[in-house]
Amino acid sequence: KGKGKGPQGKRITLKVAKNSMRVLFNGRRRLELSKMGIAVFPKCLLELADVEEIDLSRNMLKKIPNIIEKFQNLMWLDLHSNQIDELPPEIGTLRNLTYLNLCNNKLTTKGLPEELTLLRNLRTLNLGLNCLESIPTTLGSLKELIELGLFDNSLTIIPKSVKKLPKIERMNVKRNPLPEFAKEEEPIDTIKRIESLYLVEKKDLCNSCLLTCQGERDELHRLEEVTPGSSEKPDFTSLTTPNSTAIDNQEEWRMK
């Protein structure tokens, strides 16, 4: 089953590919090739180029070749968790794509071809966990987008055209250096985090410092006394054990 790993990663034969084919409840055929150590897009998949879905997630792919254009029936393409740094312009020929997951790769802004905006039927596009410093304003032409993942990148601005996408329901832009998140990064609670802790002996403290420390210690003890201890054992004395009731009523339920 092509298990020999070489410098090219695991070799996927046509037999392996055919065995990975699943027919979904909606009738679509999906090639499930996730977590197989694939480093190069398997050319043997061209024999199965009429599939509707391909899952190549969690592999070692660095490039998507231009032969991707042969998969004209593709509606669903999952490439998350690879090492892809750029997409070929030919990705734009897959006009039937409704789902494209590129999360957790190494995509840069330069690695996104303009042709990506030709995928006018896309409903879900996930570009999270990449190396994007900006996203093209032309993504605003993807009018069918419902879900857009842009989290964990280096974005400082989201274009208005993207913010105003007509059908967008979920847009995740968390963990980007966006100005609107600058205030949220400050801790919400008022407890100040201790960065350094210095331990000294009591004899080395002056009287005023000693009194301050003792006062704060007493305050802590007082709080501990107010807070109910978690060590108290729960008391279930008011509950009847199941057997005690069963003994009383056993004549009613026992099979004669």
Side-chain angles (χ1 to χ4, degrees):
K1 252 191 170 186
K3 285 186 180 176
K5 273 195 180 180
Q8 297 298 303
K10 190 175 285 189
R11 203 169 128 261
I12 298 299
T13 63
L14 184 57
K15 185 181 177 183
V16 171
K18 283 181 176 176
N19 286 341
S20 76
M21 183 87 79
R22 303 286 178 270
V23 180
L24 308 181
F25 71 93
N26 56 10
R28 291 192 200 170
R29 293 155 303 158
R30 179 184 293 181
L31 281 171
E32 293 190 348
L33 296 165
S34 182
K35 292 185 283 190
M36 294 189 75
I38 300 168
V40 175
F41 189 91
K43 286 189 177 177
C44 67
L45 297 187
L46 284 172
E47 298 285 331
L48 307 165
D50 59 345
V51 295
E52 289 83 17
E53 303 194 358
I54 296 179
D55 182 358
L56 275 165
S57 63
R58 298 187 174 95
N59 281 296
M60 304 183 299
L61 291 168
K62 292 183 178 177
K63 299 279 181 226
I64 299 300
N66 55 11
I67 56 170
I68 196 71
E69 68 184 350
K70 302 289 184 189
F71 296 79
Q72 282 298 306
N73 289 346
L74 267 191
M75 301 174 77
W76 191 95
L77 180 57
D78 193 345
L79 297 166
H80 86 262
S81 304
N82 278 281
Q83 296 167 32
I84 301 164
D85 55 10
E86 65 176 349
L87 294 172
E90 287 78 8
I91 194 87
T93 66
L94 306 178
R95 303 296 171 86
N96 291 314
L97 267 189
T98 60
Y99 176 96
L100 179 57
N101 191 349
L102 292 157
C103 175
N104 193 21
N105 276 285
K106 295 184 176 178
L107 285 169
T108 60
T109 306
K110 285 181 183 177
L112 294 181
E114 286 179 30
E115 287 78 3
L116 195 62
T117 61
L118 298 173
L119 302 176
R120 299 293 168 89
N121 287 309
L122 269 188
R123 310 278 190 280
T124 299
L125 174 60
N126 193 344
L127 294 168
L129 280 162
N130 276 285
C131 312
L132 301 172
E133 292 182 355
S134 65
I135 48 170
T137 55
T138 46
L139 280 189
S141 62
L142 302 177
K143 304 296 185 190
E144 296 298 315
L145 267 190
I146 295 169
E147 191 169 15
L148 177 59
L150 297 170
F151 53 92
D152 293 284
N153 277 289
S154 302
L155 304 174
T156 52
I157 190 167
I158 307 294
K160 282 181 183 176
S161 61
V162 175
K163 282 182 180 176
K164 292 181 177 179
L165 280 164
K167 294 188 179 178
I168 203 82
E169 290 176 13
R170 292 177 296 280
M171 190 189 299
N172 188 344
V173 296
K174 290 179 181 176
R175 292 175 299 279
N176 278 288
L178 293 163
E180 55 259 47
F181 286 121
K183 289 180 182 177
E184 289 181 26
E185 283 168 14
E186 295 172 14
I188 295 164
D189 59 287
T190 52
I191 300 170
K192 290 178 182 174
R193 305 295 171 204
I194 297 170
E195 289 182 11
S196 306
L197 181 64
Y198 300 97
L199 299 177
V200 293
E201 289 190 39
K202 193 189 280 189
K203 63 181 176 62
D204 296 327
L205 289 172
C206 65
N207 280 342
S208 61
C209 292
L210 186 58
L211 284 171
T212 305
C213 289
Q214 285 172 340
E216 288 187 4
R217 185 188 59 193
D218 293 342
E219 181 67 14
L220 270 176
H221 288 323
R222 192 182 65 76
L223 283 171
E224 282 170 5
E225 286 166 14
V226 172
T227 311
S230 57
S231 58
E232 290 176 20
K233 290 184 179 178
D235 182 18
F236 300 119
T237 48
S238 60
L239 296 178
T240 341
T241 58
N243 288 347
S244 60
T245 321
I247 291 167
D248 296 338
N249 304 321
Q250 59 184 325
E251 290 304 323
E252 294 173 25
W253 52 260
R254 182 178 285 166
M255 295 290 287
K256 301 275 182 185

